[in-house]
Amino acid sequence: MIDWISIPLVGLPLLSSLVLLAFVANADGATRERLGSSIRMVSLVISLAMLTLATMMFFAQSHSTLYEALGFDKALDWTGLGFGSFNFEFRYVWIEALGIHWSVGVDALSFPMVWLTTFLLPVTIIATWNEKHASTYFPLILMMGGALIGVFVALDLFMFYVFWELTLIPMFFLILKWGGKDRKYASQKFFIYTFTASVVMLLGLVTLYFLQPDQALSYSGSWTGRTFDIPTLTAHAQQGNADGAWFLGESMQKILFVMLMLGFLVKLPSVPFHTWLPDAHVQAPTGGSMLLAGVMLKMGAYGMFRLPLAFFPHAAEHFQFWLLALGMISLVWGAIVCLGQTNLKKMVAYSSVSHMGVILIGIATMQPLGWAAALFMMFAHGIISPMLFAVCGAFKHHYHSMEIGAMRGMAKHSPWLATSMMFAWMASLGLPLLAGFVAELMMFLALWHFLAANDLSVLWMVGPALVLALTAAYYLWSMQRTIFEGGEETQPPASLNGEPVPDIADSEKFAMIILAVFTILFGVMPWIALDMMNGWTVAFFETLLIPILGGA
Amino acid sequence: METMQPFGDGFVTALAPELVLVIGMFTLMIVPNLGDAKFRIPLTQIRIPWFFGGKRGTLDSDPRLPGIFASMFFVIAFLLAALSYMNGMNVTMIETESGYDLLLVNEFSRIFELIFYGALALASIASINRIPATSRKDRSALGLYNNRRQVDFYILLMTTGLGMSIVALAQDLFLLFIGLELASFSTYVLVSFMKETKEGTEAGMKYFIVGSVASGVGLYGLSLLYLWSGSLQFTELTLAFAENGMEPLPLIALGMLLVGFGFKVSAAPFHFAAPDAYAGATSPVAGVLATASKAMGIIGLLRILLVVASPEATDGAAVWLIALAVLSAVTMTWGNLAALGSTNPKRMLAYSSVAHAGYMLAAITAIGALNWEPEHLNASNDAALAVVTALIFHLVVLVCFKLGAFLVLSILESEKGGHTLASLDGLAKREPFLAATMFIFMMSLAGVPPLSGFVSKLLVIMGIVKVALVDVTVNGDLTFSDIHWVWYLALLMVINSAISVFYYLRVGLVMFFHEPEEGREGPLPAGRSVRMAIVACLLTTLYFGVGAGQLISLCEVAANALVGAW
């Protein structure tokens, strides 16, 4: 079997971006501008190749000659893939002494995220086709994609951490070089905030590493006798957690859980660690925002599933209500803040905070349904939020302003942009038959089930229900003020100086259509992704949680 | 292990790198003075060619000669040391006729020699551009100046290297101190080498005064130790500490030695001279101070502290445990907080090197926390090995990125910049490659993967955590209080590295975000050799990050030579 992950999905984007950057490193300005369009084309081709491969990996459920020729040695079963087993698993020794491996593989948890990243890369490139400084912008987008995929496919804690931090570098430069007015502040805040949380997480990981028994596990380091291998550690934690015992002891497990969760909660982000997100989003260029909201935030949720929830289910149960509270607060607070925003992009950023609250609530219910809701939310939000930011980017690009009241009666001047905006807004507020609705509905059902099972007051439902209304309110209100208001006497923004109001470019239209099609696709046929997520969640609960927590 | 006496059989092969440096020093003294001078035998007319002085040839009087020669000698010394390391070490003890240990050539001392020679070679190569020698037609004051002082500069670099290797080799505290002073005195002069500038003179003065006080205190401690034990050999001292180490006299002596070495590694509160010295010295010299000189101080600390904390000397935690823990906590926090506020990049790097000293002290503290009772001996040995490996790894890679950062600044110094953060403004527009390189060095200092700075920080944290958990057995009811408190040093280190990101990132910001200062828009000053050195630093920074495995095993062998000897 060929290692279809390391080389084409991780190595190719990273290396090609480095090569492209090195290629233009010492070229003068004119040469760079000249090379820009060919570099853009190369980046698009690479990202499309990655998307093709990831899509083929998804469809490799039947064994055909084509797949055989490509080296897929067996038909892949995504839905029935049990917990703890991976497709495309490959392992190479990296640092032998410490038990560090370059170890990759995808399961039903990570594969949707990998596919999402490969899907968003070409879409982002197309949506921001005319971005300035193309010769460095598109390689950075590629590098971002490679680093993100690296996070999702890593099956080694060290490798996971390396890619986790590596994502910061291209994003830092994307914000710093292509960002808005306060980009300096925003990029710094973004970097420091997430770095701080990650190093605390790193200390937690190292502590966990040394709490393994010496020499007892496979893939151990020749010198430390311990391993960074995630599946091995998960299996080991499973043994430790069996029969109601606490793996590593009660207080230790709680502390490590908190340390690990801190890194992920900041990345997610959850209130009160969310303040970096609006700054980063408002200042980031469109492409940066699309990847940041689309995939980078999901790293936090993905990490929770992969590490702390799998290692420390007891602690997760113990902190269940804290997580629920954090999720509720994020959900409600994000929505309330949205209402008060006058900046379109900031509003969308806070709506992301609100949606991440949904993920957190889904996790906190500790039920298969809730987790599947969280997983599907990660995926659906990954398609919808890039569209939101693409709309914001187009808005900014054409009207030179982000203020909600700056442009009125857009439907008249720019029907394409107005339609895209309406669609994206509707998708995000959870209109049935669009992807976001499925996840929200599942979360409600899971929460309801959870409340009933724990004899809790129905009043807990008030928050989320209220948020539905709030979300509709801020989206509809902002739409009304930008798209429709004005009637016959529309008001072009002052920033245009009386010039005719343009509509969006063809490349932007194309990106919007693709995103809209997939939003509808996953809204009408959610099972394409949901089946494998559900399979994974059920398997997770059967192997890890039900023996421990009892019941379901 | 072979033993031999000075100048006995095999002495030359054992100490080949050091002897190359000695030869180099003499070469540098003799070659530029070779001429057509003749010596007349008194009362006769017979003139014997004497060659020393007189009218000199064009080749040997070229002022560019010393720089090239010195760089060559450093590289040769480096290669010789590396070769002997790769080909399986021939561990050699050099002792007096009466069997008194003097110098020990083993993996531990060799890897430190590699650090020293590597750093000095890079500094010497970079100085060819930093203190440029011009053809003798240059009649400007600075040009004449620089031409005249070429030999002095490179000879001083060589004596520094020689002193440092003696420190690495020494098996006796007195010899160690001699090496330390040889290197120190050379660096005092090197720091104040730009005597025509106010900063240079001031820096040298401050560095000399504080340094000599620290040396004096250390020397006093040394004499007290000798008074108490009657010997300064490490093995003898270990035995003495094992017998009655808790007496006040040796403890006072230990404290004094801590001051002496604390200055060398620029640990707070003995670090006050460091920022001034780094800022006033030329950047390559400052880079040597921050890397090689620090490694030398760490050897001193390791030697003297491990003498007290080794399994022969003690069963439980070392006496200096609390003192060193406090010192390390204060050092890393102080360094980082001070670096936050410094706008001079060289001072910033100086404070960051104070912070790094704090991390290394934390690692040494962890060794002191180990328990040496027989039933813990194996586990403790393992943990100590991990910590020392991490220390050595850190010192090796420090040469790559910290020295590299100083070398980038040295290019800016050539255009009278480098003293303010603003002189880095818009570097990305002026020379993108250099800006990207500097950014990689900064990220490596901050500990961002996959660079070598991350691996070294990870290794130090892993070492400390390993020590903290060495006595912990997982049996279901583990609580957090079972963990040794040195774990909190790791936590403090983690928090500190989060703080440090701010000022490292700021360098990146000004390079990529700001427009170049007025008068600095053009291309950077040329300098092929310094750029070569920077590329070498860059490649090693990347390589030791991505392919850290090899270096880790090399460092482990070296650490084993120190720890396994117990």
Side-chain angles (χ1 to χ4, degrees):
Chain A
M1 200 163 171
I2 298 171
D3 186 351
W4 280 112
I5 292 178
S6 305
I7 303 158
L9 286 186
V10 182
L12 177 70
L14 286 179
L15 288 180
S16 59
S17 68
L18 286 180
V19 169
L20 290 175
L21 284 175
F23 194 56
V24 294
N26 275 339
D28 56 62
T31 322
R32 282 192 192 197
E33 290 306 314
R34 204 156 37 79
L35 287 172
S37 57
S38 31
I39 285 180
R40 178 171 59 198
M41 196 48 86
V42 170
S43 310
L44 181 66
V45 168
I46 290 174
S47 64
L48 282 176
M50 287 161 63
L51 175 61
T52 315
L53 178 66
T55 313
M56 287 182 67
M57 285 162 83
F58 175 71
F59 284 112
Q61 288 170 352
S62 58
H63 208 179
S64 71
T65 37
L66 171 67
Y67 283 111
E68 227 169 88
L70 284 172
F72 288 46
D73 67 347
K74 60 176 185 224
L76 302 177
D77 179 11
W78 288 108
T79 320
L81 192 67
F83 173 74
S85 48
F86 296 86
N87 283 331
F88 300 101
E89 213 178 343
F90 278 90
R91 187 178 276 104
Y92 314 92
V93 175
W94 190 348
I95 299 178
E96 216 251 328
L98 307 178
I100 293 171
H101 299 258
W102 173 282
S103 169
V104 295
V106 282
D107 60 358
L109 168 64
S110 52
F111 183 72
M113 290 295 113
V114 172
W115 185 84
L116 184 67
T117 318
T118 58
F119 168 69
L120 284 181
L121 275 186
V123 172
T124 307
I125 291 176
I126 292 170
T128 57
W129 193 252
N130 296 316
E131 191 66 76
K132 54 182 188 285
H133 305 308
S135 58
T136 39
Y137 173 80
F138 290 102
L140 279 177
I141 293 278
L142 271 189
M143 189 193 286
M144 188 74 210
L148 286 168
I149 295 176
V151 171
F152 295 128
V153 299
L155 292 185
D156 181 282
L157 286 177
F158 180 85
M159 185 181 159
F160 175 81
Y161 188 81
V162 165
F163 281 108
W164 177 271
E165 296 285 30
L166 197 63
T167 53
L168 296 182
I169 308 275
M171 191 48 86
F172 173 76
F173 279 108
L174 281 175
I175 298 177
L176 186 64
K177 196 163 174 193
W178 288 269
K181 204 162 82 258
D182 289 330
R183 55 192 192 269
K184 192 174 161 187
Y185 170 76
S187 56
Q188 235 170 337
K189 187 173 179 180
F190 157 76
F191 198 108
I192 293 169
Y193 225 108
T194 46
F195 186 84
T196 307
S198 325
V199 283
V200 174
M201 178 178 88
L202 178 68
L203 182 58
L205 294 179
V206 170
T207 310
L208 172 68
Y209 177 84
F210 279 110
L211 283 170
Q212 303 164 43
D214 200 347
Q215 299 293 1
L217 306 171
S218 48
Y219 310 118
S220 292
S222 62
W223 172 33
T224 54
R226 291 160 172 95
T227 180
F228 277 107
D229 191 60
I230 292 176
T232 313
L233 275 171
T234 312
H236 179 62
Q238 191 184 343
Q239 281 171 22
N241 279 318
D243 303 327
W246 288 65
F247 171 53
L248 304 179
E250 187 172 339
S251 69
M252 197 66 191
Q253 182 169 134
K254 283 180 192 164
I255 285 172
L256 287 182
F257 181 77
V258 170
M259 287 178 84
L260 262 57
M261 280 302 267
L262 186 69
F264 299 130
L265 283 175
V266 170
K267 200 71 159 200
L268 189 58
S270 149
V271 175
F273 310 114
H274 66 290
T275 57
W276 63 269
L277 183 74
D279 284 313
H281 265 316
V282 171
Q283 301 304 329
T286 309
S289 279
M290 287 171 75
L291 286 179
L292 180 61
V295 196
M296 208 168 168
L297 302 187
K298 313 307 183 299
M299 279 164 53
Y302 168 80
M304 286 181 200
F305 283 113
R306 184 63 85 207
L307 307 177
L309 293 175
F311 294 158
F312 311 124
H314 284 294
E317 200 203 6
H318 178 84
F319 289 110
Q320 192 174 15
F321 281 90
W322 288 95
L323 291 178
L324 188 65
L326 279 183
M328 289 279 188
I329 295 170
S330 302
L331 183 68
V332 177
W333 179 248
I336 291 175
V337 174
C338 274
L339 266 183
Q341 292 306 320
T342 56
N343 183 315
L344 204 59
K345 216 172 177 186
K346 209 161 192 168
M347 186 190 87
V348 173
Y350 273 108
S351 89
S352 282
V353 175
S354 186
H355 282 110
M356 294 301 111
V358 172
I359 294 183
L360 210 51
I361 292 175
I363 292 175
T365 57
M366 296 297 273
Q367 306 211 10
L369 186 62
W371 282 29
L375 287 177
F376 196 71
M377 189 52 152
M378 284 159 68
F379 188 72
H381 188 258
I383 295 181
I384 296 169
S385 66
M387 188 164 178
L388 295 173
F389 282 105
V391 167
C392 289
F395 194 89
K396 165 92 184 167
H397 187 235
H398 294 285
Y399 303 125
H400 310 294
S401 170
M402 241 9 164
E403 291 303 302
I404 288 178
M407 174 68 204
R408 287 173 192 264
M410 189 164 72
K412 204 170 169 62
H413 296 293
S414 319
W416 269 94
L417 182 55
T419 315
S420 317
M421 183 170 176
M422 206 156 84
F423 184 87
W425 264 219
M426 288 299 166
S428 186
L429 67 79
L431 199 70
L433 288 186
L434 300 182
F437 171 72
V438 182
E440 283 185 22
L441 182 70
M442 284 167 69
M443 186 276 286
F444 271 101
L445 291 177
L447 186 59
W448 193 266
H449 199 274
F450 166 76
L451 294 178
N454 287 286
D455 286 333
L456 287 167
S457 161
V458 181
L459 287 177
W460 279 92
M461 292 297 287
V462 171
L466 191 70
V467 165
L468 278 189
L470 282 177
T471 313
Y474 65 75
Y475 273 134
L476 291 177
W477 193 26
S478 66
M479 235 157 54
Q480 180 233 339
R481 280 182 291 169
T482 41
I483 301 182
F484 300 117
E485 213 167 68
E488 286 304 307
E489 289 164 34
T490 53
Q491 182 196 340
S495 50
L496 284 179
N497 299 322
E499 284 169 40
V501 184
D503 205 343
I504 52 178
D506 287 347
S507 60
E508 284 167 322
K509 286 177 194 167
F510 185 59
M512 301 284 184
I513 291 174
I514 296 177
L515 287 166
V517 164
F518 277 88
T519 311
I520 297 171
L521 178 71
F522 286 104
V524 180
M525 300 193 285
W527 57 83
I528 302 174
L530 201 51
D531 272 357
M532 59 196 283
M533 291 169 182
N534 196 41
W536 185 85
T537 320
V538 170
F540 189 103
F541 273 76
E542 275 169 4
T543 41
L544 277 189
L545 291 182
I546 293 174
I548 299 162
L549 307 175
Chain B
M1 187 169 69
E2 278 181 49
T3 54
M4 64 172 65
Q5 285 160 12
F7 305 105
D9 291 337
F11 180 77
V12 175
T13 34
L15 289 184
E18 285 77 12
L19 294 177
V20 166
L21 285 194
V22 174
I23 294 169
M25 278 161 59
F26 282 110
T27 317
L28 282 194
M29 285 182 208
I30 292 168
V31 169
N33 288 315
L34 289 183
D36 62 355
K38 293 195 173 75
F39 176 73
R40 185 169 66 90
I41 296 174
L43 305 175
T44 64
Q45 290 298 319
I46 306 166
R47 287 166 180 271
I48 304 167
W50 166 239
F51 300 123
F52 209 67
K55 188 173 174 359
R56 295 174 294 165
T58 45
L59 202 64
D60 61 336
S61 63
D62 191 320
R64 282 168 293 194
L65 201 65
I68 296 166
F69 263 38
S71 306
M72 267 168 44
F73 280 114
F74 276 125
V75 170
I76 292 171
F78 181 85
L79 289 180
L80 281 176
L83 268 179
S84 75
Y85 196 95
M86 302 294 167
N87 293 349
M89 274 299 300
N90 203 3
V91 179
T92 313
M93 174 73 86
I94 297 166
E95 54 185 28
T96 58
E97 276 176 44
S98 52
Y100 191 91
D101 297 348
L102 292 178
L103 305 171
L104 175 63
V105 186
N106 62 3
E107 293 89 346
F108 178 78
S109 55
R110 267 291 184 263
I111 204 158
F112 273 97
E113 283 169 19
L114 287 173
I115 294 173
F116 300 147
Y117 300 152
L120 287 166
L122 289 169
S124 146
I125 291 171
S127 294
I128 294 178
N129 290 133
R130 176 61 190 91
I131 307 179
T134 42
S135 66
R136 277 159 299 157
K137 291 186 186 84
D138 183 0
R139 287 286 156 191
S140 71
L142 190 64
L144 282 177
Y145 237 39
N146 280 342
N147 283 354
R148 285 233 186 134
R149 56 187 173 184
Q150 289 290 321
V151 180
D152 314 357
F153 184 82
Y154 292 105
I155 287 183
L156 283 169
L157 274 185
M158 290 190 151
T159 46
T160 312
L162 202 59
M164 287 174 173
S165 4
I166 293 175
V167 172
L169 294 164
Q171 283 302 297
D172 169 287
L173 207 48
F174 186 68
L175 208 53
L176 189 145
F177 223 85
I178 287 179
L180 195 76
E181 286 306 285
L182 180 58
S184 296
F185 271 93
S186 316
T187 48
Y188 297 148
V189 185
L190 283 174
V191 165
S192 57
F193 202 74
M194 298 308 256
K195 60 187 174 191
E196 69 276 10
T197 63
K198 220 175 91 186
E199 295 85 22
T201 326
E202 184 193 331
M205 203 61 203
K206 278 188 182 161
Y207 196 56
F208 172 69
I209 290 174
V210 180
S212 54
V213 169
S215 295
V217 174
L219 206 55
Y220 193 66
L222 201 74
S223 60
L224 287 184
L225 218 50
Y226 184 71
L227 189 69
W228 169 67
S229 76
S231 167
L232 285 176
Q233 216 175 329
F234 294 134
T235 44
E236 307 273 325
L237 279 175
T238 309
L239 294 179
F241 266 100
E243 251 169 58
N244 41 10
M246 295 310 282
E247 289 175 11
L249 190 62
L251 294 186
I252 292 171
L254 204 62
M256 289 179 152
L257 280 169
L258 214 56
V259 175
F261 294 121
F263 170 76
K264 275 285 147 221
V265 298
S266 54
F270 318 115
H271 69 282
F272 289 109
D276 290 312
Y278 289 27
T282 64
S283 281
V285 170
V288 169
L289 290 186
T291 56
S293 182
K294 177 160 291 183
M296 177 176 78
I298 288 288
I299 298 180
L301 275 179
L302 267 181
R303 292 274 196 211
I304 185 67
L305 292 178
L306 293 193
V307 155
V308 186
S310 64
E312 286 93 19
T314 175
D315 286 340
V319 277
W320 43 260
L321 181 62
I322 304 289
L324 211 65
V326 172
L327 208 62
S328 89
V330 171
T331 303
M332 62 174 102
T333 317
W334 193 334
N336 272 320
L337 292 182
L340 281 180
S342 51
T343 53
N344 179 340
K346 283 163 86 181
R347 291 184 82 90
M348 185 272 277
L349 282 175
Y351 281 120
S352 107
S353 107
V354 172
H356 276 96
Y359 304 153
M360 287 188 274
L361 288 181
I364 299 179
T365 310
I367 302 179
L370 286 168
N371 191 333
W372 294 114
E373 279 155 17
E375 68 268 25
H376 296 287
L377 196 60
N378 275 336
S380 293
N381 238 331
D382 270 2
L385 188 64
V387 174
V388 177
T389 308
L391 268 178
I392 298 176
F393 187 92
H394 185 81
L395 288 169
V396 172
V397 294
L398 211 53
V399 174
C400 311
F401 48 81
K402 179 152 267 167
L403 188 58
F406 274 111
L407 294 189
V408 173
L409 289 181
S410 101
I411 294 186
L412 288 169
E413 267 180 4
S414 307
E415 55 162 20
K416 304 270 185 296
H419 293 290
T420 54
L421 205 55
S423 61
L424 281 160
D425 281 0
L427 195 65
K429 293 208 173 59
R430 305 174 66 195
E431 196 170 335
F433 176 73
L434 210 58
T437 310
M438 185 68 170
F439 187 73
I440 287 175
F441 291 149
M442 288 297 129
M443 287 299 100
S444 191
L445 279 167
V448 173
L451 304 169
S452 51
F454 164 68
V455 181
S456 79
K457 209 166 267 182
L458 177 75
L459 281 175
V460 171
I461 290 177
M462 280 176 75
I464 296 174
V465 172
K466 183 166 185 168
V467 170
L469 298 176
V470 74
D471 285 340
V472 174
T473 44
V474 182
N475 55 2
D477 55 344
L478 177 67
T479 65
F480 206 66
S481 52
D482 289 337
I483 291 183
H484 195 280
W485 55 261
V486 289
W487 188 87
Y488 290 99
L489 281 180
L491 183 65
L492 190 66
M493 197 176 145
V494 156
I495 292 168
N496 262 302
S497 46
I499 298 174
S500 72
V501 179
F502 180 76
Y503 56 85
Y504 293 128
L505 215 50
R506 196 167 51 190
V507 174
L509 278 177
V510 301
M511 289 190 305
F512 288 94
F513 187 81
H514 288 180
E515 289 298 316
E517 269 188 323
E518 251 177 75
R520 287 190 203 282
E521 291 92 350
L524 284 162
R528 199 176 301 153
S529 54
V530 65
R531 279 183 177 75
M532 256 165 51
I534 290 172
V535 169
C537 290
L538 174 69
L539 291 181
T540 44
T541 302
L542 293 173
Y543 179 71
F544 290 146
V546 179
Q550 273 175 316
L551 184 61
I552 290 178
S553 35
L554 283 182
C555 292
E556 193 205 343
V557 172
N560 201 25
L562 181 76
V563 178
W566 293 347

